[in-house]
């Protein structure tokens, strides 16, 4: 098709570094792949069986556009039981993944030229989704030497009359860091002072290794100011089900409902049924997931720190590691290329994650310890790490 028929906002857009890394990885038979944050754990059989039986019982039609009442009730119950926080049914909207939920939030929130502050390194879709909604991403670099905590003084200096929101993601992809409760409280104070919203991308809530996870919206005075994105993908090993949710005030839920009715209308009914079963079984399912990914993450942490020219902070959350490779004297892209060509190990260069990512790599430990051992053994044999 002639380029002139393509929307200008999509012309010249390059393939994301995440997608490019995955494509390269697919070309090697003996490749060990650390690029994709997709757990290799199959969804718990009880969830699958429950959803399968529900499909046979007739749950194969459209649901309410905001999601099944039964699922919204379970989400509300979850926040009450886990965090003693009240969430009304009119404050919950079920979405086709949290990624689609983020698009929906930004599409409903931003006017042309509105600014959204994004701490960097960040999950790459954030920036593109802000732009596609007509907004302007404003990047704030987080620093390793500051434990990747958000400096509220720097945050405040970035706020302008066009600033609409701040996106936070803790536990964090790609860094594997966690914002402390104190940092979250101080972020909230700045948000209230300047009347901006906080968009909390709460995707890895169970993978908080050093301190219990605290949803931003549960902190004093932040319920009115926080839009929360939740997901079943990582906390329940349900990536392929594409199911998530948004928690926001009722008037904003109604706006997103209207927007979404022109997009996908409602999340898949069978995935919603699976989410209901997942929430009800969480106390049986999640401990095993946390134990497995904690084991993997700390194994990779120990092996990475044995490589010359590499160091990585002790994992605080998620199943990602973000090792500093500046000691090799090479760029993140150069190290990633060498790993791929010489060791047949695929990682994502840090520059894929925005400002502050150069000099780092991201590894997703979504493969078992035996497979990782082989990968790190190969890496230790490379000249750049000797």
């Amino acid at each position: 098709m002639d380029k002139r028929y393509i929307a200008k906002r999509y012309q010249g857009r390059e393939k994301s570094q995440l997608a490019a890394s995955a494509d390269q990885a697919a070309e090697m038979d003996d490749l060990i792949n650390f690029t994709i944050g997709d757990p290799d754990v199959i969804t718990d059989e009880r969830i699958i069986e429950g959803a399968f039986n529900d499909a046979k019982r007739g749950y194969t039609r459209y649901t309410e556009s905001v999601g099944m009442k039964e699922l919204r009730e379970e989400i509300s119950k979850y926040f009450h039981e886990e965090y003693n926080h009240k969430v009304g049914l009119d404050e919950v909207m079920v979405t086709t993944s949290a990624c689609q939920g983020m698009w929906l939030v930004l599409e409903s929130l931003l006017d042309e030229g509105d600014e959204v502050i994004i701490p960097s390194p960040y999950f790459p879709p954030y920036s593109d989704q802000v732009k596609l909604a007509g907004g302007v991403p404003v990047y704030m670099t987080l620093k390793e030497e500051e434990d990747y905590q958000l400096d509220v003084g720097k945050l405040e200096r970035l706020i302008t009359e066009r600033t609409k929101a701040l996106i936070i993601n803790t536990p964090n992809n790609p860094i594997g860091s966690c914002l402390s409760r104190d940092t979250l409280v101080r972020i909230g104070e700045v948000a209230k002072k300047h009347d901006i919203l906080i968009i909390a991308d709460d995707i890895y809530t169970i993978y908080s290794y050093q301190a219990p996870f605290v949803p931003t919206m549960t902190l004093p005075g932040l319920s009115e100011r926080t839009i929360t994105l939740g997901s079943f993908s990582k906390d329940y090993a349900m990536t392929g089900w594409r199911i998530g949710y948004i928690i926001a005030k009722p008037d904003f839920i109604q706006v997103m409902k209207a927007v979404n009715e022109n997009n996908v209308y409602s999340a898949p009914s069978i995935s919603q049924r699976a989410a209901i079963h997942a929430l009800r079984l969480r106390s049986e399912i999640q401990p095993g997931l946390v134990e497995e990914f904690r084991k993997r993450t700390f194994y990779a942490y120990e092996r990475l720190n044995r490589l010359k020219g590499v160091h990585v902070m002790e994992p605080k959350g998620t199943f990602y590691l973000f090792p500093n490779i500046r000691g090799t004297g090479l760029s993140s892209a150069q190290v990633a290329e060498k790993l791929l060509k010489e060791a047949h190990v695929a990682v994502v260069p840090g520059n894929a994650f925005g400002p502050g990512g150069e000099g780092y790599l991201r590894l997703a430990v979504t493969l078992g310890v035996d497979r990782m051992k082989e990968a790190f053994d190969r890496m230790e044999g490379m000249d750049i790490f000797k």
Side-chain angles (χ1 to χ4, degrees):
M1 180 183 289
D2 193 299
K3 184 178 178 180
R4 62 194 171 93
Y5 293 113
I6 299 172
K8 290 183 174 62
R9 65 183 179 276
Y10 287 108
Q11 290 185 18
R13 296 180 70 84
E14 298 179 356
K15 182 185 295 186
S16 75
Q17 185 65 59
L18 285 176
S21 298
D23 288 348
Q24 283 183 306
E27 298 173 1
M28 297 181 179
D29 292 337
D30 64 341
L31 183 97
I32 301 176
N33 192 351
F34 287 105
T35 65
I36 304 299
D38 186 4
D40 59 341
V41 178
I42 302 300
T43 303
D44 188 278
E45 181 65 28
R46 290 165 292 182
I47 296 174
I48 298 172
E49 189 70 19
F52 175 74
N53 288 332
D54 286 344
K56 291 198 295 183
R57 288 168 52 210
Y59 286 99
T60 59
R61 306 179 67 190
Y62 293 131
T63 72
E64 293 178 66
S65 58
V66 290
M68 288 179 179
K69 182 181 179 183
E70 189 176 353
L71 176 53
R72 288 181 287 126
E73 288 174 340
E74 287 296 330
I75 292 169
S76 175
K77 183 180 177 182
Y78 163 79
F79 279 96
H80 182 261
E81 290 178 350
E82 297 291 334
Y83 305 109
N84 194 29
H85 183 77
K86 183 178 179 181
V87 174
L89 293 190
D90 57 355
E91 297 178 303
V92 182
M93 180 172 182
V94 180
T95 59
T96 310
S97 80
C99 199
Q100 190 254 352
M102 179 65 82
W103 169 83
L104 190 56
V105 167
L106 295 169
E107 184 71 15
S108 304
L109 182 67
L110 300 180
D111 290 314
E112 195 73 28
D114 282 345
E115 296 173 355
V116 178
I117 297 173
I118 304 175
S120 176
Y122 56 83
F123 181 51
Y126 293 162
S127 179
D128 284 342
Q129 288 184 334
V130 168
K131 293 174 186 176
L132 291 174
V136 178
V138 176
Y139 307 111
M140 177 182 176
T141 301
L142 304 179
K143 295 185 177 181
E144 181 182 0
E145 57 268 28
E146 296 173 355
D147 195 32
Y148 293 113
Q149 296 301 301
L150 194 150
D151 185 320
V152 293
K154 293 178 182 177
L155 169 64
E156 200 160 12
R157 290 192 291 273
L158 289 174
I159 295 173
T160 73
E161 60 182 13
R162 294 307 305 267
T163 304
K164 202 79 168 274
L166 161 72
I167 296 175
I168 60 173
N169 173 222
T170 181
N172 181 276
N173 172 16
I175 303 170
S177 61
C178 292
L179 297 176
S180 69
R181 182 188 179 94
D182 180 61
T183 296
L184 290 173
V185 168
R186 287 186 285 119
I187 289 171
E189 291 170 351
V190 170
K192 285 184 280 188
K193 176 181 176 182
H194 294 276
D195 193 24
I196 65 172
L197 295 174
I198 298 170
I199 303 172
D201 195 16
D202 292 354
I203 305 302
Y204 301 91
T205 65
I206 66 171
Y207 304 105
S208 183
Y209 302 133
Q210 295 188 350
F213 172 74
V214 179
T216 303
M217 69 175 176
T218 66
L219 295 171
L222 293 186
S223 178
E224 296 283 337
R225 186 165 299 282
T226 304
I227 299 169
T228 298
L229 292 155
S231 174
F232 292 83
S233 289
K234 310 304 167 65
D235 281 4
Y236 297 91
M238 291 175 60
T239 54
W241 297 83
R242 311 314 296 139
I243 191 77
Y245 57 87
I246 303 168
I247 296 175
K249 289 305 164 185
D251 54 349
F252 194 62
I253 292 288
Q254 289 305 306
V255 173
M256 292 188 291
K257 173 180 179 290
V259 173
N260 202 48
E261 285 172 353
N262 295 291
N263 183 356
V264 298
Y265 186 76
S266 67
S269 58
I270 297 169
S271 295
Q272 292 192 54
R273 298 305 302 177
I276 292 169
H277 295 295
L279 284 166
R280 291 173 178 169
L281 291 165
R282 67 182 183 276
S283 63
E284 300 173 48
I285 293 170
Q286 291 182 330
L289 287 172
V290 174
E291 181 181 358
E292 175 62 22
F293 283 102
R294 182 199 293 266
K295 178 181 72 175
R296 295 181 182 189
T297 304
F298 277 85
Y299 174 79
Y301 157 72
E302 293 170 1
R303 291 298 303 265
L304 283 166
N305 279 325
R306 284 162 47 178
L307 300 175
K308 182 181 177 182
V310 177
H311 71 266
V312 62
M313 71 173 193
E314 184 175 343
K316 291 185 172 62
T318 74
F319 40 71
Y320 301 104
L321 290 160
F322 205 58
N324 184 324
I325 48 84
R326 290 172 179 160
T328 66
L330 301 176
S331 70
S332 58
Q334 288 171 325
V335 173
E337 185 176 12
K338 279 184 171 292
L339 282 167
L340 188 63
K341 290 183 176 180
E342 297 177 21
H344 292 189
V345 172
V347 300
V348 184
N351 58 4
F353 303 98
E358 180 51 59
Y360 295 83
L361 305 173
R362 192 196 75 169
L363 282 73
V365 293
T366 50
L367 58 168
V369 169
D370 289 346
R371 193 71 171 141
M372 284 196 290
K373 180 182 184 304
E374 182 179 346
F376 290 118
D377 287 347
R378 293 183 193 178
M379 293 164 71
E380 285 182 349
M382 295 174 62
D383 288 342
I384 60 168
F385 299 131
K386 290 182 179 179

